[in-house]
Amino acid sequence: MEFRYEVEGGNFSRAGHASSAVKKILKQLNVDNRIIKRIVVALYEGEVNVVAHAHKGNILVYIDEQKINIKIEDEGPGIPDIDLAMQAGYSTASAAVREMGFGAGMGLPNIKKNTDELKIASDVGKGTTLEMITYLQ
Amino acid sequence: MNISTVVELLEARLICGDVNQEREFLYGFASDLMSDVLTLDSDNLILITGLTNTQVIRTAEMADIHCVVLVRGKKVSAEMINLAEENHITLIETPFSMFRTVSVLYEAGLKPVY
């Protein structure tokens, strides 16, 4: 199964829309609740990152019997130093993002914690792609 | 601890959800930092926050949190209520401060996560 969602940079009232839709799909597929939580927490962190940092992005979701593969591609500033961005507490978030309850430098480490495989590729000035794989069993 | 006890202890108002639901809550976590809430693994948890925006409800949805207590009489938007109802999240509004809310619920037996 494949699903695609668009994410608008800066639009916080819509942030979480894609994650919510994916959660409903996984529930319908009777995936274990604990696995659903890991998947949607990681996805939601990624979705909030696009809203917080990028101009726009796409979320591509592929589900088969074994796993869910989620690709989050954005057009935005990119990440100059991915190792630094993975460090807990490091953040470049704006005051507006912090007012929403995010921007504490916890997102990427939490995505890593909640996925079985994570790949991050980034081109400074162009954008970032996150690929997250989580096994459903 | 059930919802009706929480409402009574906090002299609170139920914004949405069923006051007589059977769900038992064991843990409490107080934060305005949703990033922190998203790192929790506990079930049956009540989130206590002073932050009122739709991302609080989205965070609760993703983290399987079924009860959110909003402190200091913060007013919620219709969008927040709709989102909470859609996801079966009980919203409670208390005039108490976060400090007082936490102390009352702790005293009554709600456990900390850490």
Side-chain angles (χ1 to χ4, degrees), chain A residues 44-97:
Chain A
Y44 179 54
E45 294 271 21
E47 192 178 349
V48 166
N49 276 347
V50 174
V51 175
H53 298 284
H55 312 306
K56 61 176 181 177
N58 283 312
I59 296 176
L60 304 152
V61 180
Y62 308 92
I63 306 172
D64 63 30
E65 283 180 13
Q66 279 83 40
K67 63 183 186 300
I68 179 167
N69 180 318
I70 301 173
K71 231 183 219 177
I72 307 177
E73 304 169 331
D74 75 44
E75 291 174 25
I79 305 171
D81 185 337
I82 292 173
D83 288 340
L84 189 58
M86 288 302 294
Q87 278 180 27
Y90 179 80
S91 176
T92 58
S94 66
V97 173

Side-chain angles (χ1 to χ4, degrees), chain A residues 12 20 23 34 44 101 113, chain B residues 34 38-39 43 55 61 64:
Chain A
F12 261 101
S20 184
K23 183 172 184 177
R34 285 181 183 278
Y44 179 54
K113 179 189 150 194
Chain B
M34 295 304 111
L38 287 168
T39 65
D43 291 326
Q55 296 316 310
E61 178 190 357
D64 284 335

Side-chain angles (χ1 to χ4, degrees), chain B residues 17-61:
Chain B
D18 178 8
V19 77
N20 294 316
Q21 63 184 274
E22 301 213 341
R23 195 181 286 278
E24 281 285 323
F25 294 92
L26 297 174
Y27 298 98
F29 191 79
S31 184
D32 288 347
L33 185 58
M34 295 304 111
S35 306
D36 212 2
V37 177
L38 287 168
T39 65
L40 304 176
D41 298 320
S42 313
D43 291 326
N44 307 313
L45 176 129
I46 295 179
L47 171 62
I48 299 141
T49 186
L51 196 66
T52 46
N53 59 48
T54 51
Q55 296 316 310
V56 172
I57 312 299
R58 285 294 189 202
T59 297
E61 178 190 357

Side-chain angles (χ1 to χ4, degrees), chain A residues 114-136:
Chain A
N114 283 293
T115 47
D116 293 330
E117 292 171 31
L118 170 67
K119 287 180 204 154
I120 307 175
S122 194
D123 230 338
V124 174
K126 287 188 178 167
T128 301
T129 302
L130 247 70
E131 192 176 356
M132 317 187 288
I133 295 173
T134 300
Y135 294 92
L136 301 178

